[in-house]
Amino acid sequence: MNFFLENSRPVSREAISVNPAGQGDGGHSTGQHVTSEGQSEVLVKVHAAVNLPEDKNEGTPTPYVVARVIDNESGNVRTQGVTRAVGPDHDPHWNEILLLQYPSTDPQDNSLLLAVADGPTKESIASYKFDLNNLVPFHEYHFDFSKIDQGSKGGGGLYVSITRKSSRLPREIPSTPYWALEATVLEAETNFNGARSPLYAVARIVPDIDKYSHEMLRREPRPAGLRLQSVLFPRPLPEAFKIEQGHLHGFPRIDTEGGTPTSKPVWNESHLFLPSKDIPAFFGQDTALVIEYYESDKVMTDVSWSVHSPVAFSVVPLTRVMLSHLTKSPQRGVTVSHVPVLSESVDSGEQDKPATVLVALRLIEHEKPEKLDAGTLKQLPLVPLDRSRSQTPAQRQPSAATRQSPLESTANQESDTFPPWKPILNSPEYERGGLPRPRPDPNPRPPAAEQRVR
């Protein structure tokens, strides 16, 4: 039985010259935000596979994943990583991270090969290869890799999230006085009563929280989810790797394995968000960090790996008030406590009290940031999730001996006219942890007027 690599030349089943990782050896660290000088890195979150072919003995495979960075000119393997073997199973899931570090060269010189191999035989049963220059640095892609049908047994599908890193952060929006915003969903502060399985935490920054919540979170079933980019092999088109522009749903980041324990989950995974043309600035009247929680036992089915319809969500407004908190912190970071979890099925177990989570935010003001561990993040200044409609304190007037940085100036600009919080944050349902519903208009207009565009 023949399999195909990207150059479309048929090759026989090839032996994988690396053993699968041992049980429990799989990685879950996402590494540093940037690499050391002179190094590049590819971070591969290996989620799952479906419809894998049989092994060479026509039995159910015991699959594992090998990730390799390959020099395009010589064909040599520059670095590789491997998951543990699971199964036997045609539809395995791993939830592991592979960090592939190698000396920096032009991305056009290297390809990434992901091979699914059978544990007992070490033979490849499906492979996916593409040029690394297809990936924009520091963007987290979520892929559904599929093989064009190679016969009745097919080639299977692989689900991965991939990020290419370099030694410095890019700065697409020079006018923004910071390089990035780091958001870390740390842990539950209360019990998660009603959670039936570990919850994936998906974080995203949206420019209009009212619009996003109305379109993606207030409908049943909720349309929110992790949108996958489908790529067909063995000849993937460069267009399949393009980043969709002009949408208001943000660019989501997913944690690797779901928060554990289920009753009071801990995530401790940091995500880096860079300003872009879609969201040039992260702090404004309507901008918010949205955290969506997905039940892990519903993500995997016999036909696909799909993260959709969250069981709960949280909202952290990214207003000028929050920016002011961040700029006043010596570490340019804060922890936000008592962030409610909005859900109809998950609560704290105490009457009329929602489950809450602890979230850390940190401004990245330079191109080579260091990632802080969870213990250090918890030592950052603690601020509550302010849902007050009152005005913020008046702008501080700097003394002659004190000059504001551009960041502090941006934070304090127009702070005395800070707009009121959005209805989603002030509703009694939000306080209790229930889902907010649209409120009736206290001053309804005549029917004819209702038909006009507001």
Side-chain angles (χ1 to χ4, degrees), residues 220-299:
E220 293 294 342
R222 299 189 188 100
L226 202 64
R227 186 171 181 176
L228 303 177
Q229 291 182 237
S230 296
V231 185
L232 292 178
F233 292 83
R235 299 183 185 89
L237 299 175
E239 291 76 12
F241 297 89
K242 287 187 177 180
I243 301 172
E244 183 181 359
Q245 302 293 333
H247 61 84
L248 301 178
H249 297 166
F251 299 111
R253 272 71 167 166
I254 186 171
D255 81 285
T256 311
E257 56 179 340
T260 57
T262 303
S263 59
K264 196 173 183 181
V266 176
W267 292 276
N268 288 341
E269 190 160 324
S270 296
H271 304 287
L272 207 60
F273 296 91
L274 279 66
S276 65
K277 293 179 181 178
D278 284 336
I279 311 179
F282 291 144
F283 300 92
Q285 177 174 337
D286 302 308
T287 314
L289 170 69
V290 179
I291 306 161
E292 298 156 0
Y293 309 93
Y294 298 84
E295 293 177 314
S296 58
D297 64 350
K298 292 184 178 179
V299 167

Side-chain angles (χ1 to χ4, degrees), residues 171-454:
R171 199 171 189 181
E172 184 178 349
I173 310 295
S175 60
T176 303
Y178 47 84
W179 264 258
L181 177 67
E182 179 193 81
T184 306
V185 186
L186 289 166
E187 61 189 22
E189 297 173 301
T190 65
N191 287 332
F192 266 44
N193 186 53
R196 297 178 296 181
S197 65
L199 298 177
Y200 287 108
V202 172
R204 71 180 81 217
I205 292 177
V206 298
D208 189 333
I209 182 57
D210 277 355
K211 182 177 179 65
Y212 181 78
S213 63
H214 175 73
E215 293 182 353
M216 307 303 290
L217 298 173
R218 296 192 186 188
R219 301 178 183 177
E220 293 294 342
R222 299 189 188 100
L226 202 64
R227 186 171 181 176
L228 303 177
Q229 291 182 237
S230 296
V231 185
L232 292 178
F233 292 83
R235 299 183 185 89
L237 299 175
E239 291 76 12
F241 297 89
K242 287 187 177 180
I243 301 172
E244 183 181 359
Q245 302 293 333
H247 61 84
L248 301 178
H249 297 166
F251 299 111
R253 272 71 167 166
I254 186 171
D255 81 285
T256 311
E257 56 179 340
T260 57
T262 303
S263 59
K264 196 173 183 181
V266 176
W267 292 276
N268 288 341
E269 190 160 324
S270 296
H271 304 287
L272 207 60
F273 296 91
L274 279 66
S276 65
K277 293 179 181 178
D278 284 336
I279 311 179
F282 291 144
F283 300 92
Q285 177 174 337
D286 302 308
T287 314
L289 170 69
V290 179
I291 306 161
E292 298 156 0
Y293 309 93
Y294 298 84
E295 293 177 314
S296 58
D297 64 350
K298 292 184 178 179
V299 167
M300 190 70 185
T301 68
D302 292 339
V303 296
S304 70
W305 181 89
S306 177
V307 180
H308 68 280
S309 193
V311 69
F313 65 94
S314 300
V315 176
V316 180
L318 299 179
T319 61
R320 293 188 184 277
V321 171
M322 181 59 72
L323 180 58
S324 179
H325 284 313
L326 291 167
T327 56
K328 291 175 184 176
S329 166
Q331 305 94 333
R332 291 298 197 252
V334 298
T335 53
V336 186
S337 63
H338 300 97
V339 178
V341 176
L342 290 163
S343 178
E344 293 175 333
S345 58
V346 176
D347 56 43
S348 66
E350 301 181 33
Q351 186 175 7
D352 293 332
K353 289 187 178 181
T356 63
V357 295
L358 182 68
V359 176
L361 299 176
R362 194 161 65 103
L363 280 176
I364 303 301
E365 297 184 88
H366 47 87
E367 59 186 3
K368 293 181 68 67
E370 291 186 6
K371 184 183 291 187
L372 304 181
D373 60 34
T376 305
L377 289 173
K378 291 178 184 177
Q379 300 304 314
L380 294 173
L382 189 67
V383 298
L385 185 71
D386 185 5
R387 296 185 296 277
S388 171
R389 287 181 177 268
S390 62
Q391 293 181 337
T392 59
Q395 179 177 341
R396 293 182 300 168
Q397 297 297 328
S399 65
T402 304
R403 291 185 178 182
Q404 289 183 321
S405 69
L407 207 60
E408 292 170 327
S409 177
T410 302
N412 288 322
Q413 183 182 5
E414 298 179 355
S415 61
D416 56 341
T417 59
F418 173 69
W421 293 104
K422 315 308 288 180
I424 187 174
L425 300 178
N426 286 294
S427 65
E429 292 90 343
Y430 195 92
E431 295 284 355
R432 296 194 300 269
L435 294 179
R437 302 299 180 192
R439 294 183 178 277
D441 189 345
N443 300 304
R445 300 182 181 186
E450 291 178 358
Q451 298 176 6
R452 295 197 297 265
V453 178
R454 299 183 180 184

Side-chain angles (χ1 to χ4, degrees), residues 68-84:
R68 288 173 169 169
V69 174
I70 297 176
D71 184 280
N72 285 337
E73 183 175 352
S74 66
N76 293 332
V77 177
R78 308 198 69 190
T79 185
Q80 67 181 11
V82 58
T83 70
R84 72 193 189 282

